[in-house]
Amino acid sequence: MSRLAGQRIVLGISAGIAAYKSAVLARLLKKAGAEVRVVMTEGAQAFITPLTLQALTGEEVRTSLLDPRAEAGMGHIELAKWADIVLIAPATADLMARLAAGMADDLLTTVCLATRARCLLAPAMNQAMWSHPASQHNAATLVEMGWQQLGPDAGEQACGDVGGGRMLEPEDIIKALEAALSGHFPAPGALPLDATPEHDNHAPTPDAFMPAGGETHAGALAGHHVVITAGPTREAIDPVRYLSNHSSGKMGFALASAARDMGARVTLIAGPVTLATPEGITRINVICAVEMLEAVNAALPDCDIFIGCAAVADYRLADIAEHKLKKVPGSAALTLNLIENPDIIASVTDRECPPFTVGFAAETRELARHAHDKLVRKRLDLIVANDVAAPGLGFGADDNAAVLYHLEPDQPEVPVTSHTLSPRAKQDLASAILVYMLPLYHGHQPMRSPVCS
């Protein structure tokens, strides 16, 4: 049986071309066993008629705050109290702006302001509108207020543009809604009126945010820019040879996809790998460590979270040979003069106002000791340590395992083993890492210097 069975859902529909999908969504909600009552904005009725939604739900569709018959019994308050869930799909840029401002100038926004139900929205707008700082600010504000954001998706849009901002397909919204009912998101309004949400003072216990069955927190990173490095670097010896390592980039690409699925704007800085670019992600290709550092520096000004997953070569040639080095007859050895490469992740944390920074430690022995050393030495907020000597895990493999470490603010000398993640597919591992990171990241924000705020 679906988790939606018996749930009382107010389906809000605002004025976007994606409103036609709401008819399918209403049908799927009813099919899952939910009770559905539809509230439409005035503009939504230009795209789909109330009669269509009434036929699909079997319930009268509400369209006006100033309906004398409904408001004789304070209908908007009764509707707000009736709902277990308020789901807005599509949620236009205008509606999100009004919700973020706390406006109550029509029936839908009034119900949202009056309800203590779980609130979710599925953004739908042109890619330029979605990427605009105002829209990103409003999305982030709504997430902070307790709204869960579903999507948006990326791809071709009705206007012909291509990019982020497409409303999720109704089937995907149903899946996300069922995932939300698994208990990993607290319902907005679940606290007493005089209570202060826990995240206002300090980060919740990270274990409370761990996903079940690979589920992720859709929208949890909406409005945030995540920069991720992935893959190896190649340090040229001559025109045909180079120094490198076995990194395939799979873990970094999985993290990029997971961050995108949580609503983040993602910049993926990739070394030389053969992986396809995940949809909806900005990819920057580099070859060597110096190029990767330049790309990172260019992406940092508006970066909120930096994840250094790349296996950056520690050394490069002091002088790259102009022509192919030839084997000298009778010579038993070749000496290469190596110099240290720039430490990319240390250069990020050395900034006056660094982003929340996650590092990786790929080790073959003494995992905890080396991870703790790197965590402290590079002033990381979180480190993901994995044993690359374990058979079938790590470099080149599709599966991986990890131990996550971070420091307590009041005990910086004591390492805290945050969580051990057992072997699993790298995509599932990436989701688990980011979900664990969320409360640490939100707890990091109040501690930032006023100069950085």
Side-chain angles (χ1 to χ4, degrees):
M1 180 182 292
S2 170
R3 287 193 179 105
L4 294 171
Q7 294 287 326
R8 295 181 297 190
I9 300 177
V10 169
L11 175 59
I13 304 174
S14 60
I17 185 61
Y20 76 91
K21 296 182 181 180
S22 300
V24 178
L25 179 58
R27 180 179 60 81
L28 292 176
L29 289 170
K30 290 291 290 184
K31 186 176 180 181
E35 297 181 54
V36 183
R37 296 184 183 178
V38 175
V39 176
M40 301 179 70
T41 65
E42 181 179 356
Q45 298 169 62
F47 295 93
I48 187 170
T49 68
L51 186 60
T52 299
L53 278 304
Q54 181 174 315
L56 290 168
T57 63
E59 299 284 349
E60 181 182 359
V61 175
R62 299 285 304 278
T63 59
S64 175
L65 177 61
L66 304 177
D67 180 343
R69 182 170 58 85
E71 288 307 306
M74 295 297 287
H76 68 282
I77 298 297
E78 289 306 312
L79 196 56
K81 290 179 178 179
W82 173 84
D84 298 315
I85 295 169
V86 173
L87 170 63
I88 302 178
T92 61
D94 174 73
L95 180 66
M96 291 177 66
R98 290 190 288 125
L99 289 172
M103 297 178 69
D105 55 352
D106 63 5
L107 179 59
L108 182 54
T109 53
T110 301
V111 168
C112 291
L113 205 60
T115 193
R116 294 178 67 77
R118 182 186 298 273
C119 295
L120 306 95
L121 56 82
M125 64 196 75
N126 170 266
Q127 57 85 24
M129 295 172 69
W130 173 245
S131 63
H132 193 282
S135 296
Q136 293 297 305
H137 171 76
N138 291 333
T141 298
L142 289 170
V143 170
E144 290 173 2
M145 290 165 59
W147 283 80
Q148 184 177 346
Q149 183 178 298
L150 309 180
D153 204 348
E156 187 174 354
Q157 301 182 319
C159 61
D161 285 0
V162 176
R166 281 170 51 101
M167 186 173 107
L168 289 181
E169 295 303 316
E171 294 80 5
D172 293 328
I173 291 176
I174 294 294
K175 291 177 184 177
L177 192 54
E178 289 182 325
L181 293 176
S182 64
H184 297 294
F185 273 85
L191 296 170
L193 286 174
D194 59 349
T196 302
E198 188 176 18
H199 62 73
D200 282 355
N201 297 319
H202 58 277
T205 303
D207 287 342
F209 286 76
M210 293 309 296
E215 293 164 3
T216 59
H217 295 296
L221 289 175
H224 298 273
H225 182 202
V226 179
V227 177
I228 301 173
T229 62
T233 62
R234 290 178 181 172
E235 309 303 328
I237 297 174
D238 60 24
V240 298
R241 301 182 182 93
Y242 56 82
L243 299 173
S244 192
N245 55 64
H246 295 295
S247 175
S248 64
K250 291 178 181 178
M251 192 69 240
F253 276 59
L255 285 162
S257 296
R260 174 207 60 199
D261 292 344
M262 290 184 178
R265 175 167 61 93
V266 181
T267 299
L268 177 61
I269 301 171
V273 296
T274 58
L275 301 174
T277 306
E279 188 175 8
I281 287 172
T282 299
R283 176 173 175 174
I284 300 171
N285 291 321
V286 299
I287 300 295
C288 63
V290 172
E291 289 180 0
M292 184 170 283
L293 176 63
E294 292 173 352
V296 167
N297 286 337
L300 281 182
D302 66 343
C303 171
D304 301 297
I305 299 170
F306 177 79
I307 303 177
C309 188
V312 182
D314 292 324
Y315 297 93
R316 69 181 188 276
L317 270 290
D319 295 294
I320 301 171
E322 183 178 357
H323 300 287
K324 178 183 175 182
L325 294 175
K326 304 298 291 183
K327 181 178 179 180
V328 178
S331 174
L334 172 67
T335 299
L336 299 176
N337 183 21
L338 302 179
I339 58 173
E340 192 172 5
N341 259 328
D343 190 324
I344 295 175
I345 203 161
S347 74
V348 173
T349 58
D350 280 345
R351 288 178 167 244
E352 182 180 8
C353 297
F356 184 92
T357 306
V358 180
F360 274 68
E363 304 294 343
T364 58
R365 60 189 177 90
E366 298 185 83
L367 189 70
R369 184 172 71 83
H370 290 304
H372 181 219
D373 173 68
K374 187 172 183 178
L375 178 69
V376 174
R377 179 166 42 85
K378 299 195 178 185
R379 300 197 298 279
L380 302 174
D381 296 294
L382 176 68
I383 193 163
V384 181
N386 40 48
D387 183 356
V388 294
L393 301 176
F395 287 145
D398 293 326
D399 295 344
N400 207 352
V403 184
L404 311 183
Y405 298 90
H406 66 93
L407 300 178
E408 293 291 355
D410 57 344
Q411 294 178 297
E413 74 285 353
V414 179
V416 177
T417 303
S418 300
H419 201 72
T420 297
L421 299 171
S422 58
R424 64 193 74 186
K426 284 182 175 177
Q427 191 61 60
D428 291 340
L429 185 69
S431 298
I433 290 169
L434 293 186
V435 171
Y436 187 90
M437 178 202 76
L438 285 175
L440 300 177
Y441 169 61
H442 290 302
H444 170 267
Q445 301 311 299
M447 293 187 295
R448 297 186 71 193
S449 163
V451 175
C452 303
S453 301

